[in-house]
């Protein structure tokens, strides 16, 4: 493995931790009824936009959304709002399962439509990883209500589209800055009909989610994605529900047990197989 490729792969753990962190921060904030989901989503998008505008100015990138960015701007907004609305009434772990199941289906579906091929070993690895996700989160958990589940699934489809649509040949930072600026404007428009209620803790959690685990995480994701197959990207994200479950158990008091250890082993083994050529 070349030095440049090794550097790219060192980004993967940071990206996965950022994705899991988004679920933990959102659930921590929105478990409190004093924090409204529309406000959380708007502040999250706004905080990400502010940070990325600073990066774009330093790098002399354009931050004005272009016509080619419209699909990713819309996808980012739908993801952020659906994600926040769903986490009002579901746990971090079960929300992550629904989110990333929808993400995987979208990424793999787009990849197959674009001509990606799945080898037999990769297919076995994907099945094992999916079995691990299911074993981790389905047994012993109360099924989420249909509306939050549908909202989270819609967020997952939107995130899958955001992950796979290439909105230009310029830098990942420039593209992500334009997407966040456009989505932040949509977030402000949404607040015309949605309540804006946030506690000081809610403000802090939304800001960290927007600036750190979202904006920086997505810049890294956009930089990482062109260097791997879509199937590999999809399989790597299967580890996020396991990471989220561990974080939810440690930080939010959600249940942890032997099945977490077994499921995490299955997920890691499945990913290892999927990454093999």
């Amino acid at each position: 493995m070349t030095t440049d490729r090794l550097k790219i792969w060192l980004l993967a753990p940071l990206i996965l931790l950022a994705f899991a962190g988004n679920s933990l921060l959102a659930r921590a904030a929105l478990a409190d009824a004093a924090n409204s989901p529309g406000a959380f989503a708007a502040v999250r998008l706004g905080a990400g936009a502010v940070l990325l505008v600073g990066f774009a100015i330093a790098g002399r990138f354009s931050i004005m959304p272009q016509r080619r960015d419209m699909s990713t701007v819309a996808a980012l907004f739908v993801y952020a709002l659906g994600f926040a609305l769903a986490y009002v009434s579901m746990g971090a772990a079960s929300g992550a399962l629904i989110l990333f199941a929808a993400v995987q289906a979208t990424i793999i579906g787009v990849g197959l439509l674009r001509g990606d091929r799945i080898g037999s070993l990769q297919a076995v690895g994907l099945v094992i990883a999916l079995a691990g996700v299911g074993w981790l989160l389905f047994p012993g958990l109360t099924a989420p209500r249909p509306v939050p589940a549908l909202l989270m699934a819609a967020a997952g489809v939107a995130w899958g589209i955001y992950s796979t649509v290439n909105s230009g040949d310029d830098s990942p930072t420039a593209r992500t800055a334009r997407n966040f600026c456009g989505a932040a404007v949509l977030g402000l428009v949404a607040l015309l009909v949605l309540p804006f209620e946030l506690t000081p803790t809610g403000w802090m959690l939304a800001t960290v989610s927007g600036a750190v685990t979202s904006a920086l995480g997505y810049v890294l994701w956009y930089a990482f994605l062109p260097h791997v197959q879509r199937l590999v990207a999809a399989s790597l994200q299967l580890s996020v529900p396991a990471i989220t479950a561990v974080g939810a158990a440690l930080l939010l008091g959600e249940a942890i047990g032997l099945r977490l250890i077994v499921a995490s082993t299955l997920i890691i083994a499945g990913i290892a197989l999927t990454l093999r050529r």
Side-chain angles (χ1 to χ4, degrees):
M1 181 179 291
T2 65
T3 302
D4 289 342
R5 190 160 180 80
L6 178 60
K7 290 179 180 178
I8 287 296
W9 277 100
L10 289 176
L11 295 178
L14 296 177
I15 295 168
L16 299 177
L17 287 172
F19 290 169
N22 278 323
S23 289
L24 297 173
L25 292 168
R27 180 54 186 162
L30 296 168
D32 184 349
N35 294 316
S36 63
F40 182 89
V43 172
R44 179 186 178 191
L45 291 169
V50 168
L51 181 73
L52 290 168
V53 165
F55 286 168
I57 292 174
R60 298 182 179 179
F61 302 132
S62 172
I63 59 174
M64 293 299 296
Q66 303 170 17
R67 179 173 297 181
R68 64 186 180 183
D69 301 319
M70 291 302 101
S71 60
T72 46
V73 166
L76 179 59
F77 171 72
V78 171
Y79 155 74
L81 184 58
F83 184 86
L85 289 168
Y87 264 134
V88 170
S89 55
M90 67 167 47
S94 56
L97 169 63
I98 295 172
L99 177 73
F100 283 95
V103 170
Q104 306 328 310
T106 304
I107 292 178
I108 292 172
V110 170
L112 292 175
L113 289 174
R114 292 180 177 176
D116 284 358
R117 295 292 181 265
I118 299 178
S120 57
L121 196 60
Q122 289 178 315
V124 169
L126 189 60
V127 169
I128 291 173
L130 284 170
V133 172
W135 175 253
L136 171 64
L137 295 174
F138 278 143
L141 287 185
T142 302
R145 289 180 291 175
V147 172
L150 288 173
L151 287 168
M152 190 62 81
V157 172
W159 169 243
I161 292 171
Y162 180 83
S163 298
T164 55
V165 173
N166 185 355
S167 61
D169 297 326
D170 49 355
S171 78
T173 302
R175 292 199 302 271
T176 309
R178 295 198 305 266
N179 289 330
F180 265 81
C181 288
V185 172
L186 294 179
L188 291 176
V189 172
L191 289 177
L192 295 176
V193 295
L194 296 174
F196 188 95
E197 298 174 352
L198 280 179
T199 65
T201 299
W203 273 95
M204 180 190 69
L205 294 172
T207 301
V208 173
S209 177
V212 180
T213 58
S214 294
L216 293 180
Y218 298 174
V219 167
L220 295 179
W221 173 248
Y222 251 147
F224 177 78
L225 194 62
H227 298 275
V228 298
Q229 292 180 336
R230 294 179 189 90
L231 179 63
V232 173
S235 65
L236 279 174
Q237 289 190 79
L238 286 173
S239 66
V240 175
I243 298 170
T244 304
V246 172
L250 296 176
L251 302 175
L252 304 179
E254 294 187 10
I256 187 171
L258 179 61
R259 77 169 184 268
L260 175 61
I261 299 173
V262 174
S264 298
T265 302
L266 288 173
I267 292 169
I268 293 171
I271 290 172
L273 286 175
T274 307
L275 295 178
R276 293 180 64 86
R277 292 186 181 276

